[in-house]
Amino acid sequence: MTDDQVQIVLVAAGCAVGVGAVGLLAAWLVRHRSIRWQLGLIVVVSIGSVLAGVVAVSRLMFISHHDWEVVSLVAAVAGVVALVVALALGAAISRWSETLRQGARTLDLHGSYVADPRGPSELQALSEELARTSERLAESRLREARLESSRRELVSWVSHDLRTPLAGMRAMTEALEDGMAADPERYHRQIRVEVDRMARMVDDLFELSRIHAGVLAINPEPLALVDLVSEAIAGADPVARAFSVQLGGSAEDGVEVVADPAGLSRVLTNLVMNAVRHTPADGTVEILGRAVPDGVELSVRDECGGLSPEEMDRVFDVAWRGAAARTPQPEPAQQSEAQHGAGLGLAIVKGIVEAHRGVVEVENVGGPAGCRFRVLLPG
Ligand SMILES: Nc1ncnc2c1ncn2[C@@H]1O[C@H](COP(=O)(O)OP(=O)(O)OP(=O)(O)O)[C@@H](O)[C@H]1O
Ligand SMILES: [Mg+2]
């Protein structure tokens, strides 16, 4: 490079840095304005540095006055065209971002947004993110609506479930008071059964509210599957006998699970009681415990005849009960007592299992048709 060229480069760089610095200051001043301002500024800075450089080198006599005029004119015309292009581009970007803003507003108002494939990749990415947020929002709205409706159902069913036995007990106590009861023994027994049932329901509601509030206390300790299964069988045996249901089960020897003893035993009791209630006389209910690759599985299999897809979808909902459970048949006292649930058992099972970071699911099984509730707990 000749000395002259070095000097020209230095002068041009000096001018460009000077104009660039002013440009940066201007950019800082208009930083909150429309993107059109920033794009226009880029054009002004580039043409400005060219012109400043040309003026400076012409002063140093590197180019003639005539050349200086020609270059300046060309730069000025190029500058005007570039400015128009920049403004058009700025307008397009503003339009795209306005579309995005409208989209965000519809997301706020209607909860849905469809991704817009136009605009530069950054805006497209933003638009896709908005669409994903909209999907997540829709899911959580659905969940909330379902929770709300099950809460409403819970209140109406629980009040019904409390009012009916209370009315019955009132009638029975009145008859006892008046000495009109034909069989006072039976009335006393029935009142005790009803009181027990209502007390259990209040306990369940309390447990459920603790689960929902996230304050369920879990004190995990290693538990042998064999013990869990045999305790569950022993606990449910009297009810199974009353229903003439064969209750059996087994677990792999030496397999342990780390869980809250009271919580897990409640899970098994609720599942086994359900299974016994929904299995016809002479049917079989089987509890199995085994180790699986990512933890431990406890399953309760019954002969309920299978559940419909809608029933499978709802069994774990709070206060949901199958149609058969809502219209109890005339049965022996103990049987009808056990048949009459509040629809809280499986919601409690799910809450306790999830508090252990496990999952509970139900599937239909064949020959004889029934269903299997499977609890998977991490090892
Ligand atoms: N093993 C099962 N076989 C067939 N249906 C079942 C079984 N377990 C539960 N269900 C259905 O799911 C419903 C909800 O069960 P859940 O245990 O939550 O309530 P419940 O047994 O009716 O009352 P609760 O357990 O509060 O006394 C039952 O009413 C029944 O229709
Ligand atoms: Mg139950």
Side-chain angles (χ1 to χ4, degrees), residues 329-343:
Q329 320 294 315
E331 282 157 317
Q334 191 182 8
Q335 200 155 329
S336 94
E337 179 220 351
Q339 194 96 42
H340 223 83

Side-chain angles (χ1 to χ4, degrees), residues 246-266:
Q246 310 257 359
L247 181 59
S250 63
E252 277 174 19
D253 249 341
V255 179
E256 288 194 335
V257 58
V258 179
D260 181 63
L264 199 54
S265 118
R266 182 159 203 160

